[in-house]
Amino acid sequence: MLAWFMENIATIAISIILATVVVLIIVNLIKNKKQGKSSCGCKCGNCPMGGNCQNKNPM
């Protein structure tokens, strides 16, 4: 078991780092959503989903 761990330490470390980055991105997206921020830039006039935005301000 220890030999397998030592042979794959780089893969394990990179996987942990990538998983951490993904979790941080998801937490940031959730936090922004709760604060009412949008990731689309609020240019709803050119967006096919423009009618579904919370912010209904015309451009």
Side-chain angles (χ1 to χ4, degrees):
M1 180 72 176
L2 185 59
W4 177 86
F5 184 77
M6 294 306 290
E7 290 173 1
N8 294 303
I9 190 74
T11 303
I12 294 168
I14 291 171
S15 298
I16 290 171
I17 291 169
L18 288 175
T20 303
V21 169
V22 169
V23 168
L24 290 174
I25 290 170
I26 292 170
V27 167
N28 190 28
L29 288 172
I30 292 170
K31 185 177 106 178
N32 286 344
K33 177 122 174 119
K34 285 183 180 180
Q35 291 177 352
K37 295 180 182 177
S38 175
S39 63
C40 72
C42 296
K43 303 254 191 268
C44 295
N46 297 328
C47 180
M49 297 294 291
N52 295 330
C53 288
Q54 290 179 353
N55 187 1
K56 301 286 183 183
N57 295 333
M59 287 185 16

